[in-house]
Amino acid sequence: MRTVISTAFISLDGVVEAPGGEPGYRNSGWTFKEVDFVPEAFEIKEREQRESTAILMGRVSYEAFSPVWPDMAEFAHYKAVPKYVVSTTLTEDKVVSNWGETTILRSLDDVAALKETDGGPIIVHGSASLNNSLSDAGLIDRYHLLGFPLLLGAGKRLFSTSDKDTQKLKLVEHEVYGNGLQKQVFDVVR
């Protein structure tokens, strides 16, 4: 079975919306506008690229990443790995041709079936709504969180507000950086 890893830049109050400057959110770009850059804090992002064998994302994140990431040197490895987009509305004619193999999955059952295939880790970038659904369905195995010492208030959150049973996490890696960022890697306890 493959491991699904949710990776996120997250504020102290759980917001994950528009960390890189995406339009439409009042605090857009909060990861680089409000906190001094410390390169060692982003080592986990390089490791994710080296270790991941596929990317899973929702339609909104796909539409944000696909025009930009294929041509960015920072994301060169991701060009070679298969991409899976979970969407009921994305059509094949909207899939970009310069980013390698892309498959549209129509349901969480399709994601569960993907997890059962052979292969290495599947990384989930962005995709707040998808993360909520994956978590509620018990399909996330690990979280890679880079926590920012910010309170953003309103905004999309990584974690669902569904009324559900407690989900225990095991901290397997943690580091605090001089600028207040915290790396936290949690395995989901089953």
Side-chain angles (χ1 to χ4, degrees):
M1 182 184 316
R2 299 174 82 170
T3 301
V4 173
I5 301 169
S6 171
T7 182
F9 295 126
I10 188 166
S11 69
L12 189 59
D13 55 349
V15 174
V16 294
E17 186 168 355
E22 300 81 356
Y25 177 60
R26 70 176 272 185
N27 292 318
S28 185
W30 50 271
T31 59
F32 59 87
K33 288 181 181 176
E34 303 297 337
V35 178
D36 292 335
F37 180 73
V38 176
E40 58 271 20
F42 294 87
E43 174 277 333
I44 193 166
K45 296 299 171 191
E46 294 171 21
R47 185 173 6 138
E48 289 168 353
Q49 282 196 68
R50 285 191 315 271
E51 295 175 357
S52 64
T53 60
I55 301 174
L56 180 67
M57 65 199 104
R59 178 191 53 81
V60 173
S61 291
Y62 176 77
E63 289 174 344
F65 299 154
S66 65
V68 182
W69 282 20
D71 298 321
M72 292 180 71
E74 298 94 315
F75 299 113
H77 173 73
Y78 285 151
K79 195 166 186 172
V81 301
K83 270 71 65 190
Y84 296 92
V85 183
V86 182
S87 175
T88 58
T89 60
L90 185 67
T91 56
E92 290 292 337
D93 63 311
K94 299 294 183 189
V95 172
V96 299
S97 61
N98 65 334
W99 203 18
E101 177 188 344
T102 301
T103 303
I104 301 171
L105 304 178
R106 298 295 182 194
S107 69
L108 292 180
D109 288 340
D110 291 342
V111 175
L114 175 63
K115 275 189 68 158
E116 295 296 326
T117 62
D118 290 333
I122 302 167
I123 196 91
V124 182
H125 278 286
S127 309
S129 297
L130 178 60
N131 266 287
N132 286 189
S133 298
L134 292 170
S135 176
D136 287 350
L139 294 172
I140 295 177
D141 302 296
R142 176 173 272 198
Y143 290 94
H144 288 183
L145 305 178
L146 196 54
F148 284 71
L150 302 169
L151 299 174
L152 298 174
K156 293 178 184 175
R157 287 178 157 56
L158 182 64
F159 300 106
S160 161
T161 58
S162 297
D163 185 10
K164 60 184 179 182
D165 291 339
T166 301
Q167 177 65 71
K168 187 172 180 181
L169 305 175
K170 178 182 178 186
L171 183 66
V172 295
E173 188 177 340
H174 178 259
E175 194 161 348
V176 178
Y177 303 95
N179 62 355
L181 265 68
Q182 293 186 37
K183 173 178 64 180
Q184 299 175 330
V185 177
F186 293 99
D187 281 343
V188 175
V189 177
R190 305 220 193 281

